Amino acid sequence: MALWERILSDPEGLSHEYEQIWGRQLDDPQGYYNLVRGEFNKTQDPAQFLFLLARCVKASIRYNANGEFNQGPDNRRLGTRPETMRWNIIGASSLLRGRTELTSRDYRECLDMCTPNDVVYMDPPYQGVCVNRDPRYIEGVRHNDFVVSLESLNRREVPFIVSYDGRLGERSYGEAMPESLELAHIEIHVGRSSQATLLGRGEDTCESLYISPALWKTSDIKIPRQVSLRAQQADLFATL
C-alpha cells in the first residue's frame, strides 16, 4: 500500500527512484537483485519493492516464514525499462489521484464501510492456498469467515463481485459457495493450463466469478445463475 501511496502522491519522484535502481543492475543483474532484496527486507522501501516486482520470477511474490520477500530474479530479463515504467506510473496516478482512498486494514473492516451505492470487487487468496501456509501470501482468508462477510453484504444489499477459486479440467478447487448466498456463478475459461501441458495433459483452467443478488437480480443484462463463458473478465464487466 505504501507503493500505491507513492504512485498517487509522487509519481515523478517514484519514477526517478526506479530508474536509478534499475540502472545500477547492469554490471551484475543477479547480484544486484539480491542486494536490493536484502535492503528491501530491512527498509520496506516502495521503490525497491517496485524493482523487485519487475525483476522477480513470473512477477510473483514469495515470502519466507519470517515474512521476508524471498523470490529469486528472472535472469532472462532485466525487468520493465524505466521509460515504460514511468509511463505506467504517471498513467495510473493520473487516473486514480483524487478519486481513490487507500487503506491497509482487515478486509472485514473495509466491507463494513460499504453501502448499497457501492460496487465491491474482491479477489481474495483462493482456498487452495489458504489451507496451509502459502509463500504467496503472508496471511490467507478463512473460507467460513469470508462467507459470513458476504452474508452481511447481502443483508445490506451491497452489490459485489468475487473472483474465487475454479477448476482445472474436471477437478474443482475449494469449497463451493453456499446456495443461501444466491450468487450467480460464472465460469470464465482462461486458457490451457501450462502446468498440465508440461505433464502431458490437455486441461483448461476455469476461474469462478460470483455475482451478488443485488447485481444479478437488478441488472439490465439478465445473468443466468450458472453459465460458462470463453471470455475475458474485462469483457464481462463491460456488460454489467
Side-chain angles (χ1 to χ4, degrees), residues 19 36 70 80 83-84 102 113 128 188 223 229:
E19 182 177 9
V36 172
N70 71 342
T80 306
E83 56 269 27
T84 302
L102 303 177
M113 299 163 56
I188 299 180
I223 304 169
L229 298 175

Side-chain angles (χ1 to χ4, degrees), residues 10-50:
D10 185 23
E12 290 287 356
L14 177 62
S15 299
H16 177 72
E17 289 179 38
Y18 175 84
E19 182 177 9
Q20 296 297 306
I21 296 171
W22 188 92
R24 297 189 191 108
Q25 72 176 319
L26 300 180
D27 292 336
D28 181 14
Q30 182 171 354
Y32 183 72
Y33 175 93
N34 293 335
L35 178 65
V36 172
R37 184 178 63 187
E39 284 296 312
F40 168 72
N41 283 327
K42 297 176 183 177
T43 66
Q44 302 293 292
D45 179 75
Q48 292 175 334
F49 184 54
L50 182 60

